[in-house]
């Protein structure tokens, strides 16, 4: 009677083919049950066709070899060698011969099968006596999980993964490749057992594609002799022999691969090693994902802190809500804005009799009033220049009413200044006066500076004109407007033409206007 023969450890086994078809696989409903993860649940079947017997691959993960050649459907003859996962079976038409030992060249491990056989969640774990392969995997992971998951930054996480690999596996080299947003694998760290950095990763593109696309972990005892890998250029160039590669998988997503090898040596890894690498890759992926999130949070916090130096809380929230990152903020662009300068009157004479701490305190109070007024109307605080404050409206968020916002901020500063002066008079101090100027037009806006110091600021003739109007034209208590600003707010606020003025450094005279604050009630009064 035809039969299949194989060995489990040192024990020879045989299955007489009394029924057709006879299933082969890991599931218990097969006639031949092979308990090993290299065997699919329903791996293959042996069936009789007339006087002949055939083996049929049922779409298994690792395939079926007949006499060292992959086959999906093949007729069997006396003594044929069948490789099913990690087992070698022999076909015989009668009773003769002895059992054959199991061997393996290459096999794959799907993530779904790994989850089923090695449930890592505590509530899924099954208790039992003895050190099973599953328990050994969990024991090894317990030694590295705490350290790995406590590290918060990406680069240290990668280093810890390398340390865990060499502590738990007989690998000589290890590599971590992460996929970028375009799906390309980028080498992030490569180490030898001695800790030396390696210049490149001899990872076969064939193996990389297999692991990442099919979501399987792969162990090859000799990549040079395996039909699926031997043709790969990297396999031949780098003489890849024993190697394992596992996907860095987290929440069903593959974010990269963890690859280990022992060049020039075959048979270095076992199935248990592959299980441990697969589990370690999962822990590593969780830690990498967590570190990336922490890096993103830190960068977002730094970006927010940088924005808060210049913008009101409402503007910061709007920018963050539009998902503008640091790279976005560093771009230079041309934008139409309104620039506001506010300068203390008589500051030099005032400070002559004041101690430095009193000067700092005085300026701090004024700059707080100016900042609050600018932020109240969504402006950007550019800088403090001595005893002057510079701000602009219309960037980084576009504001069609930037001229109106600038005027309202100037009026708000007048209102706050009146309140401050009342408090100063009650304290026996003198009254503080401010002159202001606003000019509207095109500017270059962005983070401008050197490699070590940048400021978010505006540049251009519009800024120069605003500064000259405040310095030369504006008188104490006045808000002076350039022509473009006046056109933008003339329908809202009363203005007075002060004539055409020649400003230092500029050719030709420019029309200048005064905001008639004495006729305005509300914001500034």
């Amino acid at each position: 009677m035809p039969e299949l023969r194989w060995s489990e450890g040192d024990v020879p086994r045989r299955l007489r083919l009394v029924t057709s078809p006879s299933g082969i696989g890991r599931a218990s409903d097969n006639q031949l049950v092979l308990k090993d993860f290299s065997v699919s649940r329903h791996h293959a079947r042996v069936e009789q066709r007339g006087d002949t017997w055939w083996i049929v691959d049922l779409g298994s993960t690792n395939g079926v070899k007949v006499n060292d050649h992959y086959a999906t459907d093949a007729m069997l003859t006396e003594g044929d060698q069948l490789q099913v996962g990690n087992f070698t079976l022999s076909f015989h038409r009668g009773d003769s011969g002895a059992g054959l030992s199991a061997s393996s060249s290459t096999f794959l491990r799907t993530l779904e099968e790994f989850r089923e056989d090695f449930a890592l969640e505590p509530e899924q774990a099954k208790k039992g006596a003895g050190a099973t392969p599953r328990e050994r995997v969990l024991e090894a992971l317990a030694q590295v999980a705490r350290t790995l998951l406590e590290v918060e930054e990406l680069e240290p996480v990668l280093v810890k993964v390398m340390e865990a690999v060499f502590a738990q596996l007989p690998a000589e080299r290890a590599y971590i490749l992460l996929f970028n947003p375009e799906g390309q694998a980028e080498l992030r760290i490569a180490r030898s057992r001695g800790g030396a950095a390696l210049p490149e990763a001899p990872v076969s593109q064939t193996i990389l594609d297999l692991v990442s696309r099919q979501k399987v972990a792969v162990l090859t005892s000799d990549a040079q002799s395996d039909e699926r890998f031997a043709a790969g250029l990297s396999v031949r160039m780098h003489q890849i022999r024993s190697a394992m590669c596992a996907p860095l998988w987290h929440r069903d997503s593959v974010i990269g691969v963890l690859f280990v090898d022992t060049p020039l040596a075959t048979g270095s890894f076992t199935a248990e090693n592959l299980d441990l690498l697969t589990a370690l890759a999962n822990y590593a992926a969780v830690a990498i994902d967590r570190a990336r999130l922490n890096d993103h949070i830190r960068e977002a916090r730094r970006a927010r802190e940088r924005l808060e130096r210049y913008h009101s809380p409402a503007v910061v929230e709007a920018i963050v809500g539009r998902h503008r990152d640091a790279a976005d903020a560093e771009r230079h662009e041309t934008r139409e804005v309104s620039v506001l300068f506010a300068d203390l009157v008589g500051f030099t004479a005032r400070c002559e009799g004041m101690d430095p701490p009193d000067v700092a305190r005085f300026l701090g109070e004024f700059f707080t009033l100016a900042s609050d007024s600018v932020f109240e109307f969504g402006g950007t605080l550019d800088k403090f220049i001595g005893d002057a404050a510079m701000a602009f409206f219309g960037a980084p968020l576009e504001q069609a009413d930037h001229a109106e916002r600038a005027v309202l901020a100037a009026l708000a500063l007048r209102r706050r200044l009146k309140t401050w002066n009342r408090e100063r008079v009650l304290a026996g101090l003198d009254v503080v006066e401010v002159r202001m100027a606003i000019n509207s037009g095109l500017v270059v806006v962005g983070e401008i500076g050197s490699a070590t110091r940048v400021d978010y600021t505006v540049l251009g003739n519009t800024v120069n004109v605003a500064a000259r109007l405040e310095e030369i034209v504006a008188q104490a208590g006045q808000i002076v407007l350039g022509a473009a600003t006046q056109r933008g707010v003339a329908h809202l606020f009363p203005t007075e033409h002060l004539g055409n003025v020649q400003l230092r450094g500029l050719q030709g005279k420019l029309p200048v206007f005064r905001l008639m604050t004495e006729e305005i009630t509300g914001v500034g009064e």
Side-chain angles (χ1 to χ4, degrees):
M1 178 177 293
E3 64 182 22
L4 297 174
R5 300 174 188 167
W6 73 102
S7 292
E8 293 183 3
D10 296 329
V11 180
R13 304 287 188 186
R14 67 176 60 189
L15 171 71
R16 294 190 175 186
L17 302 173
V18 296
T19 61
S20 176
S22 293
I24 303 173
R26 189 156 47 87
S28 59
D29 58 349
N30 291 286
Q31 282 69 40
L32 174 50
V33 179
L34 299 175
K35 287 294 188 180
D36 189 273
F37 69 77
S38 62
V39 180
S40 297
R41 293 185 174 278
H42 296 92
H43 199 108
R45 69 172 181 266
V46 179
E47 61 184 33
Q48 188 175 14
R49 301 177 186 175
D51 294 333
T52 61
W53 285 83
W54 293 66
I55 186 163
V56 180
D57 185 358
L58 299 179
S60 62
T61 301
N62 287 299
V64 174
K65 280 186 176 182
V66 178
N67 299 325
D68 292 329
H69 294 284
Y70 283 101
T72 57
D73 187 87
M75 186 177 70
L76 300 177
T77 59
E78 177 66 31
D80 279 348
Q81 302 292 301
L82 314 178
Q83 185 172 320
V84 178
N86 197 27
F87 294 87
T88 299
L89 316 175
S90 61
F91 174 78
H92 300 275
R93 300 191 66 88
D95 295 333
S96 64
L100 296 172
S101 61
S103 64
S104 174
S105 173
T106 301
F107 56 87
L108 310 177
R109 175 64 146 148
T110 68
L111 297 186
E112 290 183 1
E113 292 173 346
F114 182 85
R115 287 192 182 105
E116 291 179 7
D117 289 349
F118 293 86
L120 298 180
E121 297 299 327
E123 61 273 13
Q124 296 176 335
K126 297 179 180 179
K127 298 180 180 179
T132 65
R134 178 181 178 280
E135 290 169 338
R136 288 194 292 270
V137 169
L138 294 176
E139 182 179 356
L141 286 175
Q143 299 175 16
V144 301
R146 182 181 297 275
T147 301
L148 189 61
L149 297 179
E150 283 182 352
V151 181
E152 294 189 349
E153 297 183 2
L154 180 58
E155 295 306 320
V157 164
L158 300 180
V159 173
K160 290 296 183 183
V161 173
M162 291 288 106
E163 293 175 357
V165 165
F166 292 122
Q168 301 294 336
L169 297 169
E172 294 300 322
R173 303 183 302 192
Y175 312 87
I176 293 178
L177 295 90
L178 300 180
F179 295 122
N180 61 24
E182 290 72 38
Q184 300 171 330
E186 297 179 345
L187 178 64
R188 292 304 303 265
I189 187 170
R191 293 285 189 272
S192 66
R193 175 164 287 277
L198 302 174
E200 59 179 343
V203 181
S204 162
Q205 187 63 42
T206 306
I207 296 177
L208 184 64
D209 290 343
L210 177 65
V211 170
S212 60
R213 293 177 183 176
Q214 297 188 23
K215 295 184 179 180
V216 297
V218 58
L219 182 158
T220 176
S221 296
D222 188 356
Q224 299 287 320
S225 64
D226 191 285
E227 295 175 5
R228 287 172 290 186
F229 307 136
L233 179 61
S234 295
V235 171
R236 290 183 280 108
M237 286 182 59
H238 298 283
Q239 293 295 299
I240 298 176
R241 294 287 185 178
S242 295
M244 295 190 297
C245 189
L248 294 166
W249 51 283
H250 179 45
R251 298 194 181 107
D252 294 322
S253 297
V254 177
I255 64 174
V257 298
L258 175 56
F259 180 86
V260 300
D261 69 359
T262 54
L264 307 179
T266 61
S268 300
F269 302 117
T270 66
E272 189 174 325
N273 292 149
L274 184 63
D275 274 332
L276 181 54
L277 182 72
T278 305
L280 181 58
N282 176 235
Y283 272 72
V286 174
I288 289 170
D289 189 65
R290 179 171 173 267
R292 281 175 161 176
L293 177 61
N294 288 335
D295 288 347
H296 177 74
I297 291 173
R298 281 189 289 270
E299 180 57 33
R301 185 182 297 119
R302 286 192 291 268
R304 179 182 287 272
E305 290 173 352
R306 185 167 63 250
L307 291 171
E308 287 173 346
R309 292 170 51 196
Y310 309 117
H311 311 300
S312 69
V315 171
V316 171
E317 289 302 322
I319 294 173
V320 173
R322 287 173 51 180
H323 304 288
R324 294 188 59 177
D325 55 21
D328 237 338
E330 292 174 359
R331 293 185 308 171
H332 299 164
E333 56 182 331
T334 300
R335 185 76 66 81
E336 184 171 323
V337 304
S338 292
V339 182
L340 165 66
F341 278 88
D343 189 14
L344 287 167
V345 176
F347 176 73
T348 302
R350 179 189 302 277
C351 293
E352 187 175 358
M354 298 173 63
D355 294 330
D358 295 331
V359 174
R361 188 178 305 108
F362 173 76
L363 285 177
E365 292 178 356
F366 168 65
F367 289 151
T368 297
L369 301 181
S371 300
D372 290 346
S373 301
V374 170
F375 290 167
E376 181 180 350
F377 294 97
T380 296
L381 183 63
D382 189 303
K383 62 176 68 72
F384 299 124
I385 311 170
D387 60 328
M390 173 185 170
F392 55 90
F393 300 77
L397 297 181
E398 292 187 6
Q399 296 166 328
D401 57 347
H402 53 82
E404 179 184 349
R405 289 173 180 268
V407 170
L408 289 172
L411 292 173
L413 178 55
R414 279 175 53 88
R415 169 172 51 81
R416 288 184 168 89
L417 193 65
K418 284 187 175 182
T419 301
W420 188 32
N421 278 328
R422 284 196 294 268
E423 295 172 353
R424 289 179 61 82
V425 169
L426 292 175
L429 301 175
D430 60 345
V431 172
V432 176
E433 292 186 295
V434 175
R435 58 175 180 262
M436 290 179 272
I438 304 171
N439 190 44
S440 303
L442 293 176
V443 298
V444 174
V445 58
E447 287 199 350
I448 300 170
S450 67
T452 57
R453 169 67 186 273
V454 296
D455 286 311
Y456 188 84
T457 188
V458 289
L459 299 175
N461 188 62
T462 298
V463 181
N464 298 334
V465 170
R468 297 290 186 271
L469 290 176
E470 179 271 310
E471 178 185 2
I472 298 173
V473 179
Q475 301 298 314
Q478 283 188 342
I479 301 175
V480 173
L481 311 177
T485 306
Q486 190 271 344
R487 288 194 299 271
V489 301
H491 64 294
L492 299 171
F493 304 103
T495 61
E496 177 187 5
H497 185 211
L498 298 179
N500 296 334
V501 179
Q502 178 69 54
L503 300 178
R504 186 178 69 254
L506 300 176
Q507 295 181 351
K509 294 184 178 182
L510 299 178
V512 178
F513 299 83
R514 177 183 71 88
L515 192 68
M516 301 175 66
T517 54
E518 67 275 9
E519 297 184 14
I520 299 174
T521 58
V523 176
E525 300 303 315

